[in-house]
Amino acid sequence: MSAPPASPARRPAIGQPVIIAAGLALAVALGIGFGGKVIAQQIVSGLMLGAIYMTVAMAFTLTIGVLNFLNFTIPTLFMLTGMVAWGLIHQGWLAFAGGSAWLVALLIGVGVAVAASLVVERFTFRYLRTRHGDATEHAIPLVSSLGFLLIFEHLVLIGMGSESQRFAVPFKADIRIFGVVLGGAQLASMVLAVVIVAALTYILKHTRMGRALRTIAENPDTASLLGVEVTRIVPVVFILTGLLAGVAGALFTINYSDVSPFMGDHVGTKAIAAMVLGGLGSIWGAIAGGILVGLTETLSIHFLGGDSVQMTVWGLLLAVIILRPQGLFGTASIGKGKM
Amino acid sequence: MSGYMSGIVAILCINLIFAYGIYVTAAAGQLNLGGAGFQAIGAYAAAWLSSVAMQPIWLTIPAAMVITGFVGFLISFPVLRTRGVYMVLATFAFAEVVAGYLLRSKVFGGAIGMVVPDHIDVPVLIGAAVLVTLAVFYLMATRLGLAMRSIHDDEPVSSLMGVNVRAIQVASFTLGGAFAGLAGALYAHHFSFVEAQYFNSLLSIYVLLFVLIGGTQTAWGPLVGSLFFTLIPELLRVGGSWRYVVFGVAIVLMMIIRPEGIVTRELVARLSPRNWFGGKRPALGERHAG
């Protein structure tokens, strides 16, 4: 079985955002042209959901792209943010913050997600180094991250119970454009997601840190030989992972005013789907994939009923993996060898 | 046997057969994170044949095995185009599609599930588990098992040595599917009820953990892994929800201390009766799977 050769010349980076924007504009125009207001509303909701998925998908794609590691703790980091924020308010520890307690709570929640992500780094990735000639050894960090998934999820269950809780956010500024309702919180979260993506792209492309990360992604041993301190750079990946998952969790909490210990499960699996659709290790791919999954979800709920989502999203994913394993924007080499 | 004990034994037997289904593919170096999908197909095939087609048990269970094995055969061709993390995700997506279909389908009862009329009891499950265990031990001692292990250890070299890698991987997926289907059929007939929600992604994750924690090098792995995973949570039941936390910590520690799984080829060779009195470490050439 021969793998297709990795394309030596990368597509110019400017091409991908243009393709995504053009595709998106076309889809929205077609949808509104044929379906009118109802479809336009569905597309808007799909985009908002897509903003959450793409942020989580970026966390996944960053860990896979740089470390070749499918990190299953990301959905729990997402959930930790929301639950910790709710817990802090519920306990009344943030009474001093007054009207902005929700913001303080969510910021602390994101901080907890980052801290938890660093704990995961300490106990999983440090042991990725292969010591044994074994085809399934690449599963070692994967299995550890599944262990952490159990630990975090059940600690939250012990501490805060299994019910879903209401997390009220004081602003509800709905904007109406041509009869389509745009939630203020949703709009803010969409903008925030785009800002994060832009910042991440800038960091990876133009900073010393970003160059080190990209070198490790190419080859950790060579990176080490060239003077990149791999053991000091790797935690940065986990900090970014925790940050992305945490911010996505905060955005989700703001959008839906609702937290539960299981809120990460569905979003996490959808984000994995989004990452694969876009191509492993590609940031723009995660964005395109997130939007695509969000749109697929809302549109299949609209046309085929609520229980069809699982089939359409995962069927689409299965088809992409089989027909075009590198996804929309991925390079063929990532994720093929070790994990 | 008390009801509590027999419940644990039944789940242990079903999990063991299921784990061998995943093990057979993992032994050939393929990670299958879609176990729940295969088990669901077996369970629903048996449930449909039993409750709608009114077939007897001796027909429904083999038929469920054949159907699931055939699905494993068919799905292996697209899945084997992928490798590494893509294979994990492809099998995972397959299981999600199966669960999504079953939740929606009118024929299979949708979200309500199906009642299975014929009941089988714990002794039959134990018998089936013992048979499957012996069959896998025998398989791993045959030429086919040797070829599977060689693919697991080094695919290009196996191919150079004349092993038909593709054929053996397809065979391992087919056989793995059949075992998972058997586990599903037994589940359906023992609990007399199937619902799509049981066959979720967590089940796929757990069963892959059974195999990886037990160790993929020898056929002892799934046995030890299933015992470890089924019994430890039961023993820790006193701790309430804490048992899962302890369990998660155990998984993380396992991966740090012994990442190749609890049972390895070396351990099996060291514990084998041939070395009880000599006590010498076996030479490399003598090591073999249990």
Side-chain angles (χ1 to χ4, degrees), chain A residues 143 146-147 150, chain B residues 204-214 229 251:
Chain A
V143 172
L146 288 171
L150 278 178
Chain B
S204 299
I205 289 174
Y206 274 132
V207 76
L208 188 63
L209 285 181
F210 292 172
V211 174
L212 293 177
I213 297 270
F229 265 80
I251 292 170

Side-chain angles (χ1 to χ4, degrees), chain A residues 278-305:
Chain A
L280 266 60
S282 157
I283 290 194
W284 287 107
I287 293 165
I291 293 171
L292 209 56
V293 171
L295 285 177
T296 309
E297 183 167 342
T298 49
L299 291 179
S300 61
I301 288 175
H302 181 72
F303 287 112
L304 303 168

Side-chain angles (χ1 to χ4, degrees), chain A residues 4-339:
Chain A
S7 59
R10 292 231 171 134
R11 220 182 306 229
I14 193 69
Q16 294 175 359
V18 170
I19 293 169
I20 296 170
L24 196 60
L26 188 69
V28 172
L30 280 177
I32 295 171
F34 286 107
K37 244 184 242 174
V38 183
I39 297 300
Q41 183 68 62
Q42 294 300 328
I43 289 175
V44 167
S45 321
L47 290 179
M48 296 309 159
L49 206 54
I52 309 267
Y53 292 157
M54 71 163 103
T55 318
V56 181
M58 267 193 296
F60 275 114
T61 214
L62 192 68
T63 346
I64 285 215
V66 178
L67 306 176
N68 252 336
F69 162 35
L70 181 59
N71 185 350
F72 265 102
T73 55
I74 288 169
T76 36
L77 301 176
F78 176 91
M79 174 274 291
L80 267 181
T81 306
M83 285 306 281
V84 165
W86 172 79
L88 287 171
I89 289 189
H90 183 69
Q91 294 289 329
W93 290 342
L94 293 177
F96 65 88
S100 55
W102 62 276
L103 185 61
V104 178
L106 285 174
L107 288 177
I108 295 175
V110 173
V112 170
V114 171
S117 187
L118 282 174
V119 172
V120 173
E121 190 272 338
R122 183 67 189 81
F123 290 101
T124 60
F125 189 72
R126 300 262 169 115
Y127 299 92
L128 182 68
R129 303 270 161 261
T130 53
R131 285 180 290 168
H132 315 273
D134 193 324
T136 45
E137 73 201 333
H138 51 58
I140 293 167
L142 174 78
V143 172
S144 303
S145 74
L146 288 171
F148 271 109
L149 186 139
L150 278 178
I151 296 172
F152 289 147
E153 194 157 303
H154 284 94
L155 280 179
V156 168
L157 282 174
I158 292 166
M160 301 183 217
S162 59
E163 283 106 79
S164 88
Q165 309 285 357
R166 205 174 148 64
F167 187 95
V169 178
F171 64 87
K172 268 275 169 278
D174 287 349
I175 307 162
R176 283 179 170 272
I177 304 171
F178 304 120
V180 176
V181 181
L182 263 175
Q186 294 179 328
L187 203 61
S189 69
M190 185 83 187
V191 170
L192 191 55
V194 171
V195 168
I196 290 171
V197 175
L200 195 61
T201 316
Y202 177 81
I203 291 173
L204 284 177
K205 280 229 169 309
H206 298 291
T207 65
R208 201 182 154 75
M209 177 76 72
R211 202 159 60 231
L213 285 172
R214 283 183 290 135
T215 319
I216 295 174
E218 292 283 335
N219 187 330
D221 296 332
T222 312
S224 182
L225 280 174
L226 292 175
V228 176
E229 284 188 75
V230 177
T231 46
R232 285 184 57 186
I233 297 291
V234 164
V236 173
V237 177
F238 283 80
I239 291 173
L240 287 174
T241 302
L243 205 60
L244 286 167
V247 167
L251 294 181
F252 185 89
T253 309
I254 294 170
N255 274 348
Y256 299 94
S257 305
D258 197 46
V259 294
S260 91
F262 310 107
M263 66 194 247
D265 298 356
H266 271 90
V267 175
T269 48
K270 294 278 166 53
I272 292 178
M275 168 185 72
V276 178
L277 283 179
L280 266 60
S282 157
I283 290 194
W284 287 107
I287 293 165
I291 293 171
L292 209 56
V293 171
L295 285 177
T296 309
E297 183 167 342
T298 49
L299 291 179
S300 61
I301 288 175
H302 181 72
F303 287 112
L304 303 168
D307 48 4
S308 66
V309 175
Q310 204 175 358
M311 263 181 82
T312 50
V313 170
W314 291 98
L316 182 65
L317 177 66
L318 197 58
V320 166
I321 291 179
I322 290 161
L323 299 175
R324 192 180 156 81
Q326 71 270 36
L328 296 172
F329 299 116
T331 44
S333 58
I334 291 174
K336 286 228 155 172
K338 62 180 180 138
M339 209 164 286

Side-chain angles (χ1 to χ4, degrees), chain B residues 80-120:
Chain B
L80 284 172
R81 285 173 47 116
T82 63
R83 35 195 44 223
V85 73
Y86 278 103
M87 178 175 286
V88 171
L89 292 170
T91 49
F92 188 74
F94 165 74
E96 292 290 327
V97 172
V98 169
Y101 170 73
L102 290 173
L103 262 178
R104 256 175 82 76
S105 71
K106 300 264 185 304
V107 187
F108 296 111
I112 302 155
M114 283 177 100
V115 174
V116 187
D118 290 321
H119 177 74
I120 53 172

